[in-house]
Amino acid sequence: MTVKVTVTGAAGQIGYALLFRIASGQLLGADTPVSLSLLEITPALKAAEGTAMELDDCAFPLLQGIEITDDPNVAFDGVNVALLVGARPRTAGMERGDLLSANGGIFGPQGRAINEHAADDVRVLVVGNPANTNALIARSHAPDVPADRFTAMTRLDHNRALSQLSAKLQVPVTEIRKMTIWGNHSPTMYPDLYHTEVGGKIAAEQVDGEWLRDTFIPTVAKRGAAIIEARGASSAASAANAAIDHVHTWVNGTAPGDWTSAAVVSDGSYGVPEGLISSFPVTSANGQWEIVQGLDIDAFSRERIDLSVRELLDERDAVQALGLI
Ligand code: NDP
């Protein structure tokens, strides 16, 4: 059966890096035909048409159709996988309330359209920032969709952490298991090496504490800014790659003895208030995320998790005060 994948902000940088990989089968596998729906704001429809022309020109065997629209009710009609990439970026001098309001105007109606028109098995990944809170807004407008179908992306932070650790310990990334990103997809997120295993041993015990605290954590947290500084543009291909990884793992499951990171609706685990969309160590089986339970959290990790969760609470309170959820 053809799977309908909707990408919002389809004419943007991440959209450009994402669509070709979806159409080539890297999101759902080489046996799954896909149809793409490209949602854009009206002024960007022409650019989306250009991307669609290039998609046509690839003659992808799995690609069954492309729809381009500025109407969320059309874009999300029958959608199975929704990748919410388009968002209002923070511009210089913009107040946080204005940023959240602008995104409420995007993610509220998209949540409603998903509620009314999506397929029963819809899975939603929010990439557009502030991703966790945008996911919260969309979810709150989709009361008929199970809450656990709304997720936000911390897989890029996860992959960045894998790559930094792999370089430090001079091991292939495939030897690293159980990496965890906690909290908000923002510079407060916490990459935790106290449960990560390298060659079967805890990673935090294989690196010195100073490197972990003063190099590893800030490098992962500030990687986005470092890429802007170097490239003169935001990361796009790596963000698209992480979105592919997130959905691929969600649908196909995590490997035995391993887990990944995703921002999912909290059930109160690890003291994260219920209902917040926060990053956790998660496994996936049968198309469902499960938060890994029973990990010991030491004081160092607790402080950092609490800080990031505090930021999520503040964002939630702000969107609540603005009437966006
Ligand atoms: P990008 O494609 O580069 O980024 C899109 C969103 O992804 C931004 O919110 C960005 O956040 C976020 N993001 C999350 N993780 C990352 C990461 N690691 N690196 C970079 N970005 C990340 O933006 P463009 O401006 O190129 O494209 C956005 C498109 O969205 C435009 O074409 C615009 O027209 C469209 N849009 C569509 C809407 C809709 O469909 N209704 C609504 C709003 C916009 P950050 O800003 O923090 O980098």
Side-chain angles (χ1 to χ4, degrees):
M1 204 194 71
T2 299
V3 173
K4 176 166 176 174
V5 182
T6 300
V7 176
T8 77
Q13 297 297 319
I14 296 175
Y16 192 74
L18 188 55
L19 289 162
F20 296 85
R21 295 191 57 186
I22 301 170
S24 70
Q26 292 179 46
L27 187 75
L28 298 164
D31 300 325
T32 307
V34 289
S35 72
L36 284 170
S37 181
L38 280 47
L39 180 68
E40 259 300 351
I41 52 173
T42 316
L45 283 176
K46 186 136 199 294
E49 276 166 28
T51 304
M53 287 160 71
E54 283 203 76
L55 282 162
D56 281 340
D57 293 350
C58 295
F60 285 119
L62 290 174
L63 185 56
Q64 305 298 301
I66 310 173
E67 165 183 87
I68 305 163
T69 179
D70 58 3
D71 181 351
N73 295 310
V74 173
F76 294 119
D77 189 26
V79 64
N80 306 104
V81 177
L83 302 173
L84 309 189
V85 178
R88 177 70 164 81
R90 191 190 291 266
T91 40
M94 193 178 198
E95 296 290 334
R96 198 173 67 143
D98 294 337
L99 176 76
L100 293 171
S101 285
N103 280 302
I106 296 167
F107 288 86
Q110 290 184 358
R112 269 197 297 282
I114 288 170
N115 195 53
E116 281 163 31
H117 303 289
D120 286 346
D121 68 348
V122 66
R123 289 184 172 79
V124 183
L125 169 63
V126 177
V127 175
N129 283 314
N132 301 52
T133 297
N134 288 340
L136 189 71
I137 295 170
R139 196 211 125 192
S140 78
H141 289 84
D144 303 329
V145 177
D148 62 3
R149 305 291 183 75
F150 283 88
T151 63
M153 188 168 92
T154 51
R155 188 64 171 262
L156 180 55
D157 309 301
H158 178 99
N159 287 344
R160 286 167 171 167
L162 286 177
S163 158
Q164 293 298 321
L165 184 63
S166 144
K168 172 72 177 172
L169 294 178
Q170 298 283 299
V171 294
V173 285
T174 47
E175 269 189 41
I176 307 176
R177 303 254 185 286
K178 303 182 177 175
M179 178 64 75
T180 305
I181 304 292
W182 298 91
N184 198 4
H185 170 68
S186 86
T188 67
M189 56 89 202
Y190 170 52
D192 178 354
L193 294 187
Y194 290 91
H195 302 99
T196 308
E197 296 171 3
V198 180
K201 287 189 288 197
I202 295 298
E205 290 164 9
Q206 301 180 55
V207 296
D208 63 84
E210 201 181 309
W211 179 82
L212 192 158
R213 206 177 45 246
D214 300 337
T215 303
F216 173 71
I217 295 176
T219 301
V220 174
K222 294 184 198 148
R223 186 71 168 174
I227 286 169
I228 293 175
E229 169 80 26
R231 251 188 112 226
S234 301
S235 42
S238 54
N241 178 68
I244 298 271
D245 283 352
H246 177 111
V247 174
H248 192 271
T249 305
W250 195 353
V251 172
N252 294 293
T254 37
D258 201 1
W259 66 60
T260 188
S261 307
V264 298
V265 177
S266 176
D267 57 359
S269 294
Y270 300 103
V272 179
E274 211 174 322
L276 279 188
I277 297 188
S278 186
S279 188
F280 288 99
V282 287
T283 54
S284 168
N286 305 315
Q288 263 193 306
W289 294 117
E290 290 261 359
I291 297 171
V292 175
Q293 295 296 326
L295 301 178
D296 283 333
I297 307 295
D298 67 358
F300 177 85
S301 299
R302 188 73 260 170
E303 195 183 316
R304 279 160 183 79
I305 295 169
D306 287 350
L307 189 79
S308 196
V309 169
R310 180 77 252 160
E311 185 181 56
L312 282 173
L313 277 172
D314 288 347
E315 288 182 15
R316 185 192 67 185
D317 291 349
V319 293
Q320 220 153 28
L322 290 162
L324 300 173
I325 59 170

